[in-house]
Amino acid sequence: MEQVILAPIDGLTEAEAEARRRRGEANTAVQGGSRGYGEILRTNVFSFFNLILFVIGAALLSLGQYSDALISVGLGLINAVISAAQEIRAKRKLDRLQLLDRGGVLVVRDGREVEIAPDRVVRGDVLRVRPGDQIVVDGPLLDGGRLEADESLLTGESDPVVKHPGDDLRSGSLCVAGDGHQQARDVGVHSYAGRLTAEARRSTTDRTPLQRSIEFIVRVVMALTALMSGCILAQAALEGFSVLRVVQITAVLSGLVPYGLFFLIALAYTAGAVRIARSGALVQQVNAVESVSNVDVVCTDKTGTLTTGQLTLEEIVPLGVREYNEAAEALGGLAHNATTPNLTCLAIAGSLGGPVWEVRDEVPFSSSLRWSGMVTESGTWVLGAPDALADRLRQPVEATEIIDRTGRGLRVLLLARTEEPEAGLRDAAGRPDLPMLEPMALAVLADELREDVVETVARFQADGVDLKVLSGDDPRTVAAIAARAGLGGADPVPGRDLDDLDDPGLDRLVARTSVFGRVAPEHKERIVRSLRRQGRYVAMIGDGVNDARALKQAHVGVAMRSGSAVTRDVADIVLVDDSFAALPPAQHEGRKIINGIGISLYVFLARVASQGLVILAVTMLQLGFPYSPTQVGLTMFTVGIPTVFLTFWAGRGRPDPDMLRNLVRFVAPASVVTATFGTAIYTALYSMISHGFQPGRTPARIIHEFEKTTGLTYGVDADFTTASATILAQTGLSTFFCFASFLLILFLAPRSRAFAAWTAPTGDKRPALLVLGLCVVFSAILCVPVLWNYFGLMGPSKPVFFVVLPALILWYLTLTVVFRFRLFDRLLGLDEPRR
């Protein structure tokens, strides 16, 4: 890009600005794909889970199973709508917040100042910059101007930087003192903030542990289902099954795929996002609801995150024989009468009142002078850094008074005055110059901690979450702020010490250090990467452009609403009230959701594995197919309803770090024992009809008893016998499976020691009441003709009752022994401690 010559103060004409806008030289905001409506819809509609559902739906549609296909595709679309609606809701809310935050800028057009939106600025424009204005483009400060810029959102350094004519002002910084004009040289994507935005918005997807676990489980279930389908369909072809029978078998096998589980996860994420929003945390990526629950280390910026970026007057220390009231009045007068107040003046003015002075001369504060002063009718007053005034003091200030306070991270300023009535603040040439001064008092200021920071840090520590502070400020100041926040005893490390370290050396340093100062954006990014290499689950909290890269590297990026738009845009969670305290409740809610979904996985996988084993066993015994498509709908009671309640009743403890291993430890014995009893029940009931219940009984007698028990009427033939045996056996199997699935809930969430073979009692009676309710509902299904016909069952039957009830008792006793003595753990070698 060619060099831009400093423009005259009268700026561009409106016609010139419009021509440049048409040439694409406007300050157009960087457009990223991570938050566009199209991208949100695409990523949610074509997620891994939904693609599985759509493929199954297409297969069922080709087989003529239109209702089953509709359920599969419909659930996929519902999942997409729920997830996309949450992200779009978050996007719209954040857009409204950003619109409210966005102010206009003053530009010089046709020789006069006009206020326009930042995106209407064009290259070559002249902008008026005043205290409090956000810099929106890159470019030099023009002749006649002098100001101080707060670049903490870009660099993390909280001290203002003095800008002289010709010095660059960078987009994303804030004018805190002075006045001047800036020429727009680099706009839009070419500005500093624009380039960082484009880099930060590169789409990255970080799957959560739960998502990775579920993807693995789903792939295994899909592979086993496909293998099972191939075997059974091959056998069906050899035995000459009809096309309808093949379709029915395929529909049953497709029911092993976790339709409801996908829906449950989407629903739980969305419900969690809504509840988290009530505490002030806006979720932009729905999986962040679960991801935040795994966080075991939080990296946070200091300025704007732990602190508000403002100063507070901590104390006034009179020196010598001076009175406190006299010093307070003088400080208040300096603050209230300043023509260009800075953060220090605002902090003092907010705490003290002050007289109205007739100001005869004023020297504003600057970083080069490090002092400010006023000549008034009541005398000449100076406020500045003690070392900057030391050479002009008639009496020295006790060093310990200053060192003790600066060592605690406090800012100490010295208030002094001259006793000479005619003394001024300038030399003969008009340059600022100090007269001899009498020290009056020390003004001690502190960075203002955000509300609830101390309590929040304590809550994190109580939950076992480590905190690390990464700041561009002086390491000693950062360590002092960290100590005030509750991170005491931290030895700070400057960013320059990280430059020459290789990855292993950096990992060792990061593991033992909690406070880093004078760190650049690339240092923050390296620290986050180091923590990830060490197996830590990292959340990064920031507010500035300099934090954006670290937020993208972290598992969970958290931004402050008052921070830069770039950081808000790339974050997974935005703290809309700028409250650091919103994060622990969000973490607890996430833990509750992941624990609930974890319980749901136990219930679901136990059902899938048990049914799969029964299907294989019964098929190999050539006793027909043990399920009909309508009986698959019973999973609504055995899995669907229980998992919804268990998810929302789950506790908020730390998630299981070894969920896959524990799933195997529970599902393997539960499914094998359940499938064994289920196969035995199916075989026994099938044999009652097909082979006769007692020796010497005639087929006619068996049929008569069957008709009397079931209320069904059939002709006496072989097909009748096979059909009757299948219906009776399927009813007995479904009855056993339903009641066994209900009782499994009590093993997972036992209220008392009676079912505490797998885990300790919870004392929560709600799961027991749920089991009781489900048992009543299923018993009602067996007693209502419309309902048992809908699910492909038969009504109340003595054979079913006398076989299933004893089997349930034996099943409970067997599973209790297996769980309590960890028999399968020993068999599979899972009882050995992990290394």
Side-chain angles (χ1 to χ4, degrees):
M1 188 174 294
E2 72 269 18
Q3 180 67 31
V4 178
I5 301 174
L6 297 187
I9 299 301
D10 55 3
L12 302 175
T13 66
E14 194 63 46
E16 290 173 331
E18 183 60 33
R20 296 188 182 202
R21 188 176 299 110
R22 287 196 298 267
R23 292 202 301 267
E25 297 181 3
N27 189 41
T28 305
V30 177
Q31 297 298 320
S34 61
R35 289 292 176 266
Y37 291 113
E39 183 70 10
I40 289 174
L41 291 173
R42 184 186 67 80
T43 54
N44 282 284
V45 172
F46 298 105
S47 67
F48 172 76
F49 296 152
N50 287 344
L51 286 176
I52 291 175
L53 294 176
F54 295 154
V55 169
I56 292 173
L60 292 173
L61 189 64
S62 65
L63 294 171
Q65 294 294 297
Y66 302 112
S67 59
D68 293 331
L70 180 62
I71 291 174
S72 178
V73 175
L75 279 175
L77 292 176
I78 291 174
N79 292 346
V81 168
I82 290 175
S83 301
Q86 165 57 28
E87 290 195 32
I88 290 173
R89 171 181 171 274
K91 171 181 169 56
R92 294 181 65 181
K93 184 173 182 179
L94 188 61
D95 287 346
R96 287 196 299 270
L97 292 175
Q98 293 182 182
L99 185 61
L100 291 174
D101 291 342
R102 188 180 69 177
V105 295
L106 285 177
V107 298
V108 180
R109 294 275 176 86
D110 296 317
R112 59 188 180 88
E113 291 182 352
V114 295
E115 184 172 352
I116 62 174
D119 56 3
R120 303 291 293 176
V121 176
V122 299
R123 184 167 178 264
D125 257 328
V126 174
L127 291 79
R128 171 77 180 278
V129 182
R130 302 163 299 177
D133 286 350
Q134 188 88 26
I135 311 299
V136 298
V137 294
D138 292 355
L141 183 66
L142 300 180
D143 290 338
R146 183 183 177 281
L147 54 81
E148 295 182 20
D150 178 1
E151 297 183 338
S152 60
L153 291 180
L154 303 177
T155 65
E157 173 63 65
S158 61
D159 293 331
V161 180
V162 177
K163 299 291 184 179
H164 299 284
D167 290 343
D168 265 0
L169 300 177
R170 292 193 291 179
S171 53
S173 58
L174 180 72
C175 176
V176 295
D179 198 332
H181 289 83
Q182 176 199 19
Q183 186 181 29
R185 184 191 62 216
D186 300 324
V187 298
V189 296
H190 302 292
S191 67
Y192 179 77
R195 293 194 301 272
L196 285 178
T197 302
E199 180 180 355
R201 281 181 172 176
R202 289 184 304 199
S203 178
T204 57
T205 302
D206 210 349
R207 295 196 306 277
T208 66
L210 180 63
Q211 287 177 319
R212 291 195 295 269
S213 297
I214 291 178
E215 281 195 17
F216 171 76
I217 291 169
V218 169
R219 292 178 193 275
V220 170
V221 171
M222 291 287 291
L224 293 177
T225 302
L227 182 62
M228 192 186 307
S229 300
C231 295
I232 294 175
L233 293 178
Q235 181 185 9
L238 293 175
E239 296 179 2
F241 279 11
S242 65
V243 174
L244 177 60
R245 187 62 174 153
V246 170
V247 170
Q248 289 176 336
I249 292 174
T250 305
V252 171
L253 293 174
S254 68
L256 298 178
V257 179
Y259 300 94
L261 186 62
F262 299 156
F263 174 73
L264 173 69
I265 292 171
L267 183 64
Y269 278 173
T270 303
V274 172
R275 287 197 293 270
I276 288 173
R278 295 171 189 160
S279 64
L282 179 64
V283 176
Q284 297 197 100
Q285 295 283 359
V286 290
N287 66 354
V289 173
E290 179 249 320
S291 192
V292 72
S293 68
N294 299 287
V295 169
D296 58 12
V297 59
V298 173
C299 298
T300 176
D301 190 17
K302 177 187 77 69
T303 305
T305 307
L306 293 180
T307 66
T308 63
Q310 305 297 317
L311 297 174
T312 57
L313 182 61
E314 192 80 3
E315 62 175 330
I316 298 173
V317 184
L319 299 175
V321 296
R322 302 295 181 180
E323 295 290 336
Y324 176 87
N325 290 340
E326 182 183 5
E329 182 179 1
L331 282 169
L334 280 169
H336 285 281
N337 290 280
T339 56
T340 55
N342 54 23
L343 293 177
T344 300
C345 288
L346 294 175
I348 294 174
S351 301
L352 301 174
V356 177
W357 287 340
E358 179 187 342
V359 180
R360 299 170 182 172
D361 189 18
E362 178 183 8
V363 176
F365 179 86
S366 69
S367 298
S368 56
L369 291 175
R370 300 176 64 212
W371 59 267
S372 64
M374 284 185 189
V375 179
T376 71
E377 74 277 6
S378 63
T380 299
W381 305 89
V382 176
L383 181 66
D387 57 333
L389 307 184
D391 292 342
R392 295 303 183 111
L393 296 178
R394 296 187 185 276
Q395 294 91 26
V397 179
E398 186 68 35
T400 55
E401 294 280 0
I402 300 172
I403 295 173
D404 288 347
R405 291 171 173 83
T406 55
R408 301 199 306 268
L410 302 172
R411 302 188 182 195
V412 180
L413 297 176
L414 174 62
L415 173 67
R417 66 173 297 178
T418 178
E419 301 289 349
E420 302 172 6
E422 301 301 325
L425 295 172
R426 300 181 189 274
D427 59 16
R431 295 186 295 267
D433 186 47
L434 286 172
M436 296 304 293
L437 300 168
E438 293 286 342
M440 286 194 65
L442 296 176
V444 183
L445 297 104
D447 286 301
E448 183 181 56
L449 286 177
R450 288 196 178 276
E451 189 177 0
D452 297 330
V453 161
V454 175
E455 179 183 352
T456 303
V457 169
R459 290 179 67 182
F460 274 131
Q461 291 174 333
D463 288 340
V465 178
D466 295 332
L467 281 93
K468 296 185 183 294
V469 183
L470 320 178
S471 175
D473 270 350
D474 184 277
R476 293 170 298 178
T477 303
V478 181
I481 294 296
R484 288 174 56 201
L487 296 171
D491 294 327
V493 171
R496 64 175 178 272
D497 289 359
L498 311 181
D499 293 333
D500 297 329
L501 292 176
D502 57 9
D503 286 349
L506 179 65
D507 292 348
R508 290 190 294 271
L509 178 64
V510 169
R512 66 174 184 266
T513 306
S514 59
V515 176
F516 297 85
R518 294 281 188 237
V519 292
E522 54 271 21
H523 291 142
K524 295 184 179 183
E525 188 177 15
R526 285 195 69 197
I527 290 170
V528 171
R529 285 180 174 175
S530 171
L531 289 167
R532 294 190 63 153
R533 281 197 303 272
Q534 298 174 56
R536 308 298 298 273
Y537 207 90
V538 188
M540 174 70 197
I541 308 175
D543 68 330
V545 175
N546 62 311
D547 299 317
R549 290 168 59 180
L551 259 70
K552 293 294 287 184
Q553 286 297 324
H555 293 96
V556 185
V558 183
M560 295 290 188
R561 174 222 172 156
S562 62
S564 78
V566 179
T567 312
R568 291 195 300 263
D569 189 59
V570 302
D572 302 304
I573 297 175
V574 177
L575 304 179
V576 294
D577 297 323
D578 284 341
S579 175
F580 189 49
L583 207 53
Q587 186 178 49
H588 292 164
E589 187 62 41
R591 288 180 176 179
K592 179 178 178 180
I593 288 171
I594 187 174
N595 288 335
I597 294 176
I599 293 178
S600 302
L601 281 174
Y602 283 90
V603 176
F604 160 73
L605 287 179
R607 192 267 297 178
V608 168
S610 300
Q611 285 188 326
L613 291 173
V614 169
I615 289 172
L616 284 176
V618 171
T619 303
M620 287 189 294
L621 293 173
Q622 297 183 346
L623 299 178
F625 198 75
Y627 295 102
S628 69
T630 53
Q631 290 162 4
V632 175
L634 291 172
T635 57
M636 176 179 64
F637 300 100
T638 59
V639 177
I641 294 176
T643 54
V644 169
F645 283 98
L646 292 173
T647 296
F648 292 100
W649 290 343
R652 297 181 178 181
R654 183 176 290 277
D656 184 359
D658 203 4
M659 186 175 66
L660 281 178
R661 183 169 180 263
N662 286 329
L663 274 172
V664 174
R665 294 179 58 237
F666 179 86
V667 171
S671 58
V672 170
V673 172
T674 305
T676 300
F677 277 87
T679 302
I681 290 170
Y682 186 92
T683 304
L685 292 174
Y686 191 93
S687 299
M688 286 183 187
I689 303 300
S690 59
H691 301 296
F693 186 70
Q694 294 177 352
R697 295 171 64 198
T698 63
R701 177 67 177 170
I702 297 171
I703 295 168
H704 173 73
E705 290 179 355
F706 182 81
E707 291 178 334
K708 183 178 179 180
T709 302
T710 64
L712 302 175
T713 302
Y714 293 94
V716 182
D717 55 29
D719 291 337
F720 161 74
T721 303
T722 302
S724 301
T726 301
I727 293 174
L728 181 66
Q730 288 179 347
T731 300
L733 179 62
S734 295
T735 302
F736 169 76
F737 256 91
C738 286
F739 284 113
S741 298
F742 301 155
L743 294 177
L744 272 180
I745 297 172
L746 297 181
F747 281 105
L748 290 168
R751 183 190 178 190
S752 62
R753 296 185 59 84
F755 283 87
W758 166 254
T759 187
T762 63
D764 188 354
K765 64 181 180 181
R766 292 176 299 181
L769 294 176
L770 173 64
V771 170
L772 179 61
L774 291 171
C775 290
V776 170
V777 170
F778 184 72
S779 298
I781 290 174
L782 293 177
C783 296
V784 178
V786 174
L787 295 178
W788 85 54
N789 284 327
Y790 177 81
F791 287 107
L793 305 174
M794 53 178 274
S797 170
K798 289 181 181 179
V800 170
F801 178 80
F802 285 116
V803 170
V804 171
L805 183 59
L808 274 173
I809 296 174
L810 289 174
W811 169 86
Y812 161 71
L813 295 174
T814 304
L815 199 56
T816 299
V817 171
V818 169
F819 278 149
R820 194 175 298 280
F821 294 99
R822 300 289 189 260
L823 299 183
F824 269 70
D825 290 7
R826 298 175 184 178
L827 178 64
L828 300 175
L830 297 175
D831 58 331
E832 299 177 3
R834 298 294 298 271
R835 295 181 179 180

